[in-house]
Structures are given as C-alpha cells and as structure tokens.
Amino acid sequence: MKLTWDEYFLNIAQAVARRSNCTRRQIGALVVLEGRIVSTGYNGTPRGVKNCNEGGCARCAGDAASGTALDTCWCSHAEENTITQAAYHGISVKRGTLYTTMSPCITCSKLIINAGIEVVKYCGDYPQNSADLLEQGRVRLEKLA
C-alpha cells in the first residue's frame, strides 16, 4: 500500500534517528518545504566534538536520571540540528513543516517558532510538554499515529 506523505516523511525521520550516536535517545527530524525535504538532523554532539558513544558528553556517559543535569549535556536535539543545518547551508525553513520522532522540548519549540516553522508533526511524546508554547507561537502541533 502506498504511504501517505506524512507516513513517508515520518519514516524518513525515523531513519535519520538511527544516525544518532547518543547513548540515551535516538531522535530524528526533518524540515519539509513545498513537499521537499530541505534539511535533516538527529540528536548528538556538535560538529567536530567527540560523539556521545565515544565519551564526548559526560552526561550521556554518566548515570544522571532522565530530565536532570541537562545544563551539562553537550548534545543538540534533532530539531535544533535540522534548523541549524539549514542555516549553515543558507536555507530558510520559514513556512516549513517539521517532522520529528518525538515532540519538541521547550528550547526546541522556541527555535521552531523563531525559525518560522508553521507545523510540527511527531509520533512520540517528550516528557516536557511544550504544546502551549507552540500554540501561542502559532505553530500547529499534530501527533501522528
């Protein structure tokens, strides 16, 4: 059976997530403009920094409980990476749709709003709920099955 566009893009985001070297979570994201993927990203350490699975991020290598010691984490989230990857290559994501394997955190939601992304579609729920922030920022949030 032929995939819907949402299924197609979400499947690609799930494949992108498998590139992550994070030892805690593997999250993938991509931005679509006019039916075309313009940027992808997954969670992990910044460009040129040792990956989590190589000991690059002390928080990921340690035993910090989920949701704690976030200020010591060197990793960027998938949504953050897809937005900054587009910027790095001079591509606007304004009016785009962001597909992500997990709902965005508050920090990523702020980036999404300020980047001009209009729609976020996701499948998994992040522990931190940013739905109110996205709604106030006029970003439509849609959970996909």
Side-chain angles (χ1 to χ4, degrees):
M1 176 168 34
K2 187 175 181 177
L3 296 174
T4 67
W5 284 111
D6 284 341
E7 291 168 334
Y8 173 73
F9 291 127
L10 192 56
N11 282 344
I12 293 171
Q14 289 167 336
V16 170
R18 292 195 298 273
R19 290 285 308 146
S20 173
N21 292 308
C22 184
T23 57
R24 291 187 174 240
R25 296 180 197 258
Q26 285 70 48
I27 310 297
L30 54 93
V31 175
V32 174
L33 281 170
E34 298 175 2
R36 302 285 179 250
I37 298 168
V38 297
S39 184
T40 65
Y42 49 87
N43 60 318
T45 55
R47 178 181 286 115
V49 175
K50 193 185 297 187
N51 290 313
C52 289
N53 63 350
E54 301 166 326
C57 177
R59 180 182 179 272
C60 290
D63 59 358
S66 181
T68 66
L70 297 175
D71 60 330
T72 65
C73 184
W74 287 9
C75 295
S76 297
H77 287 185
E79 302 91 338
E80 179 182 8
N81 277 332
T82 195
I83 292 167
T84 57
Q85 185 69 8
Y88 183 83
H89 291 286
I91 301 168
S92 173
V93 295
K94 186 176 181 180
R95 290 191 273 288
T97 297
L98 187 140
Y99 287 84
T100 180
T101 57
M102 190 166 281
S103 59
C105 71
I106 290 172
T107 300
C108 288
S109 293
K110 292 186 284 187
L111 292 169
I112 289 164
I113 293 165
N114 285 341
I117 290 171
E118 294 181 341
V119 180
V120 172
K121 298 186 179 191
Y122 70 99
C123 58
D125 291 311
Y126 189 71
Q128 193 180 69
N129 188 330
S130 63
D132 289 344
L133 176 61
L134 289 167
E135 182 181 344
Q136 285 186 45
R138 296 186 182 93
V139 176
R140 191 174 84 235
L141 184 63
E142 185 179 331
K143 185 171 184 178
L144 304 173

